[in-house]
Amino acid sequence: DFDIDFCQDRRDEVIAHVQDRYGAERVAQIITFGTLQARAVVRDVGRVLQMPYNRVDSLAKLIPNNPASPVTLQDAINDEPALRDAMMDEAVGRLIENALRLEGLYRHASTHAAGVVIGDRPLQQLIPLYRDPRSEFPVSQFHMKDVEKAGLVKFDFLGLKTLTVLERARALLAHRGSNVDLDNLPLDDADTFAMLSRAETIGVFQLEGQGMRDALSHLKPDTIEDIIALVSLYRPGPMDNIPQFCNRKHGQEEIDYLHPSLEEVLSETYGVIIYQEQVMQIARILAGFSLGEADLLRRAMGKKNKKEMAAQRDRFVSGATSRGVDEKLATEIFNLVDKFAGYGFNKSHAAAYAIVAYQTAWLKTHHPVEFLAASMTLDMGNTDKLNHFRQELTRLGIALLPPDINRSGVAFTVEEIEEGRTAVRYALAAIRNVGEGAMEALVAEREANGPYSGLFEFASRLDVRVVKKRQLEMLACAGAFDCIDDNRARVAANINRLVQFNASIAEERESKQQNLFGDDSTARDPELVEAIAWTPADALKAEAEAIGFYLSAHPLEAYDGELARLGVMTHADTLHLAREHGTGPFRLAGVPVARRTRTSARGNRYAFLELSDRSGHYEIVVFSDTLDACARTLEGPGPFFLEVDSRVDGENVRFSARRIARLDEMVSKSLKAFVLHIDAGESLAGLKQVLDNAEPGGGRITLSYAALSGKVVDIVLPRMFFLSLGLKAQIEALPGVRSVETA
């Protein structure tokens, strides 16, 4: 079984090469069999029972969807009260009863994503073959275990995303005239190792997890061998030796080579046995094993075969004593080697991964803009990762420019914003629900015929299959049209007209008719429907819907001063403090994103509350007592103020809520009055509408304006209001209001 990693964009080329090299009749992919899992079996049985689609779909969505750890249907029934309630219906009960019987059965045949077999003769002479109707490539009828038993060698041609990141970063650099030879980088770059020692490794292959970052901070690597060792050690079992390895490297613990003859083998790892190759060398040097015998020892240790291990122990001890090693010491060394060999890593494998890790670290150190742009392109469909990279760009002082139909590419690009300073431009295809193919057409048209100059001109130039309502809505919400009309509300209000206009242009072209003005589309452009600009809060909400997170700003930025007074920290800062100091309590704030309510085995309701602050998305568990106490608060609008406790669980920090309140309520306690500075003569109709809809409370509002005489007149409104920063923003957005002063 050979596992080989390739750039994921070029894996098909490798398979084609193998066919060409060995003959198409000797190469096949490997079959897999899909099983009926919980959601799929409910949908399939519901379809056979001819139940309404919407009913079956709602039932299926009650089952948690976690591909990494699939939930069984019975587990979903046990954990989800709504599913149990639905089963009271006779038709649903029948569906679930049948689904429980069928769950786990094979549903269909498919093709292994990476598995390939290569034979020394036409494969039809060795195994039965299958033709996948979706592919021209032959497929084995035996699955991966049985093709091995049939005598065939299995290859996994794996697509490694990081290799594609490296290639894209190199291409971005080449486009800007900087050619980097990644295969010949100096492996002793001081700046790269300094960055690794600071554990600033977001995006660095193999080294970006929190536990790995903690290990890097302790180790402070300064050679490629250190990275190879850390990649090997950071796994269950051997990771217990990381503190010893780090302490020995820094002279805080004495190095023990077990026997003087083994210093040559163990010096690079400070006496810690890490690699399978070291196990083989120890057997060869200390006990006189041949390399073949040493490999048999390595395999026996990995399999923990007691009978075989007893024979190997006798062979090792007798071989060592014949070379002058004390029998007791030889036995101790064998026991120690046996312990390490059970989880020893193949150094050649670790070295290959460490080189890739070093290449990504070098690029991030010396070319962070290109590296992060390439990294974001390879995670365009994962908004959590994109937000993670956005935070890293902010930390590094690199701008992330918004999507723009006249400047953005399909993927993330690098753009010069001033001489010597570059930024990452947001990708059009990373906007939700727009489609990569449509964005390719949009960019191709722009590159062929120049920038878009207006909304209707834009609609006239693109294929009807590209300009669809949902795509235009997402582009508008993301701000991609700001370059031609920065009133996003007006763009949104004209979307139906843009779609209709595009369709009429397409129909006209198809019929090859010319109107009175020839082919001058600007002469036919309709007038735009006017619309009042969105408030900053509404614009941010729409932007988050289109992008998956807040890009241009965050709603909590309006509360900066108030959050400081309340002692509120970002989630990222709280994570750091929790790992350093333990349980808290801590104060957080967040905009609600999602909520999942569950019932425990004892019948107590609890919830997982997903929130967003400027450092990203995070999750809080709300146990039953707190959930009951804050039920009405959670039903209302956010953002929320939270007091939380924390619990450190390995690499993870879990937060539970003590108290949840509306942030506006917390802020309003410190806001006693608004003074509105307004322009005399302006219509106050808009202000009246906002204040008529404002919540009552304990705050005063004063209108302050300069009369014609030049005297400043203050009018205190008789009503009392609930003063919040949201109300302040609404008022400030009105025409004629110059500023709102808080007191």
Side-chain angles (χ1 to χ4, degrees), residues 26 157 347 575 659:
R26 300 182 182 203
F157 291 160
K347 185 183 179 184
L575 276 178
R659 175 191 175 202

Side-chain angles (χ1 to χ4, degrees), residues 468-478 481 492 495-496 546:
K468 293 181 179 177
K469 182 179 178 181
R470 186 61 174 161
Q471 291 166 325
L472 294 179
E473 286 174 340
M474 291 294 100
L475 289 169
C477 290
F481 289 114
I495 281 173
N496 284 333

Side-chain angles (χ1 to χ4, degrees), residues 210-349:
Q210 183 58 50
M212 184 62 91
R213 298 211 302 272
D214 292 342
L216 283 167
S217 296
H218 190 186
L219 177 62
K220 301 200 179 307
D222 53 16
T223 66
I224 193 68
E225 284 78 13
D226 286 346
I227 303 175
I228 297 170
L230 198 55
V231 166
S232 303
L233 284 168
Y234 196 78
R235 295 176 299 116
M239 69 191 312
D240 293 340
N241 297 306
I242 291 176
Q244 182 185 59
F245 182 85
C246 295
N247 290 338
R248 289 185 176 187
K249 173 181 171 64
H250 296 298
Q252 297 163 351
E253 185 177 313
E254 187 178 350
I255 298 174
D256 179 9
Y257 294 120
L258 308 179
H259 189 272
S261 65
L262 299 181
E263 182 173 352
E264 175 191 353
V265 177
L266 298 177
S267 59
E268 69 168 301
T269 56
Y270 312 107
V272 180
I273 303 172
I274 297 176
Y275 309 118
Q276 292 177 349
E277 290 90 339
Q278 287 175 315
V279 171
M280 296 169 66
Q281 287 176 294
I282 289 170
R284 184 178 60 82
I285 293 171
L286 206 66
F289 277 50
S290 69
L291 284 174
E293 289 175 316
D295 191 48
L296 290 174
L297 171 66
R298 175 193 63 80
R299 282 193 278 178
M301 287 179 167
K303 292 180 178 178
K304 300 295 182 187
N305 183 310
K306 289 186 178 180
K307 184 177 178 181
E308 177 65 22
M309 283 302 297
Q312 292 288 351
R313 180 189 299 273
D314 292 342
R315 167 73 180 89
F316 184 93
V317 173
S318 63
T321 52
S322 70
R323 291 174 165 239
V325 180
D326 179 75
E327 183 177 348
K328 182 181 177 184
L329 177 60
T331 303
E332 289 176 358
I333 291 174
F334 182 88
N335 291 336
L336 192 59
V337 168
D338 181 25
K339 174 188 171 185
F340 279 87
Y343 49 62
F345 206 62
N346 182 298
K347 185 183 179 184
S348 60
H349 181 126

Side-chain angles (χ1 to χ4, degrees), residues 38 49 140 168 172 262 278 363 394 429 484 510-511 568 580 616 628 647 657 660 690:
L49 294 178
S140 70
R168 292 198 177 222
L172 287 170
L262 299 181
Q278 287 175 315
L363 275 173
T394 301
I484 53 179
E510 191 173 333
S511 63
V568 170
E580 291 286 323
D628 292 340
R647 179 171 61 87
I660 302 176
V690 168

